[in-house]
Amino acid sequence: MSENQSLTPQEIAGILKISKSTVYELIKRKELNSYRVGKKLRVDSLDVENYKNKTKEIKTVPLQSPPQPVSFPQPYLPAPAYPLLKSNSFVICGQDVVLDILCRYLDRHPKGVRALRSYEGSYNGLYQLYRGEVQVATAHLWDSKSGEYNVPFVERMLPGTPAVVIRLASRIQGFYILKDNPKRIKGWEDLRRPDISIVNREKGSGTRILLDEHLKSLGIYGNSIQGYSRECFSHLAVASAVARAGADLGLGNEKGCQQVQGIDFIPLQTEQYDLVLRKEDLSKPEFEAIIDILLSEEFKTELTWIGGYDLTELGKIIAET
């Protein structure tokens, strides 16, 4: 690859000798910088070379018996692509599969637009909305002082910016644990135990903030917990780490548990997953299209069949700040 070329995920899989699904996971975690040509994802060959050079520096540790904790090296994160986006790009920020479906509907809607995706966590998404780098952010941020989701964070992180918070879904957050719960884990208090190890989410994600808020309330310092510094970048990655004995528990939503074999789920808290928009944008056609989609029976029915979501308040305006 002497010249910079545009590569497809299938071509990248062949170069790196990995599966195509792994390529998509690398793109999702921003270890590979991508862009879209029409509906197709593309990656520059120079970015693939940079990734190959980085991964050569990472040493792997063979599994031993009994299984040892899985290591989580810091990923190579390329510079944010937002300054390279065209001024008329429409970006939706968030990690849930619901947003992939929303983008598909938005592309087909008469008032819609072809949307790009940013897979940042909730905290960073609100920050990017404030900076004008994305048009729509999503959040599931729990504020321990008020016991509320999202609205307190929107008020603090979008100062002087009137915003609208619209409900997407309610989800259950809890612990992923090994099948049959060999460590007899019950809830938050078990994080005090010296024999418990965890795998964490990245800073800025709603799940990480939920954990940290509970630790603060319990008077537990994160660095006192085995594995607190090990980070994964999705619910699925956390569940998989627990399943292969990389940790005794991880925090994530119930749907992530349903996709991985060998683990059980301990429900702890119902969370609210919301869209956040700037109020001044609501009268624009593409935002009117989003509201139409959220209130449509077709969209709700598709999400219902996916499972794992309470859609009772889908499309409801929760707050205006």
Side-chain angles (χ1 to χ4, degrees), residues 110-160:
K111 295 183 180 179
V113 66
R114 181 160 295 173
L116 304 177
R117 288 290 309 284
S118 168
Y119 289 91
E120 292 286 355
S122 298
Y123 190 93
N124 293 338
L126 289 181
Y127 180 64
Q128 290 175 356
L129 183 65
Y130 176 67
R131 288 172 56 89
E133 295 171 338
V134 302
Q135 284 64 51
V136 179
T138 57
H140 56 114
L141 296 165
W142 183 63
D143 177 65
S144 60
K145 289 185 178 179
S146 65
E148 289 186 69
Y149 269 91
N150 301 327
V151 177
F153 283 88
V154 173
E155 291 175 337
R156 291 195 296 264
M157 295 184 64
L158 276 71

Side-chain angles (χ1 to χ4, degrees), residues 215 245 276:
L215 293 180
V276 185

Side-chain angles (χ1 to χ4, degrees), residues 5-26:
Q5 301 173 339
S6 175
L7 301 174
T8 67
Q10 187 63 56
E11 291 170 333
I12 298 165
I15 292 168
L16 299 179
K17 294 181 172 57
I18 57 178
S19 68
K20 188 176 177 181
S21 62
T22 302
V23 174
Y24 283 117
E25 183 66 23
L26 292 175

Side-chain angles (χ1 to χ4, degrees), residues 64-126:
Q64 303 174 5
S65 182
Q68 299 298 310
V70 177
S71 62
F72 295 86
Q74 291 295 324
Y76 165 55
L77 299 177
Y82 303 109
L84 303 178
L85 294 174
K86 296 180 179 179
S87 59
N88 62 347
S89 294
F90 191 93
V91 183
I92 297 178
C93 191
Q95 299 175 332
D96 199 283
V97 67
V98 168
L99 303 179
D100 295 319
I101 298 171
L102 175 60
C103 286
R104 172 160 49 83
Y105 276 73
L106 191 59
D107 190 29
R108 297 185 336 211
H109 195 281
K111 295 183 180 179
V113 66
R114 181 160 295 173
L116 304 177
R117 288 290 309 284
S118 168
Y119 289 91
E120 292 286 355
S122 298
Y123 190 93
N124 293 338
L126 289 181

Side-chain angles (χ1 to χ4, degrees), residues 230-281:
R230 296 178 296 179
E231 296 181 350
C232 289
F233 286 78
S234 70
H235 294 290
L236 189 59
V238 171
S240 297
V242 173
R244 64 180 187 265
D248 296 311
L249 68 83
L251 184 62
N253 65 38
E254 186 176 16
K255 186 170 181 58
C257 179
Q258 297 168 351
Q259 296 173 279
V260 177
Q261 295 181 347
I263 62 174
D264 287 330
F265 184 72
I266 299 176
L268 295 173
Q269 187 163 322
T270 300
E271 69 171 9
Q272 311 304 331
Y273 189 53
D274 297 329
L275 282 180
V276 185
L277 318 171
R278 286 183 291 264
K279 194 172 182 179
E280 64 181 313
D281 290 333

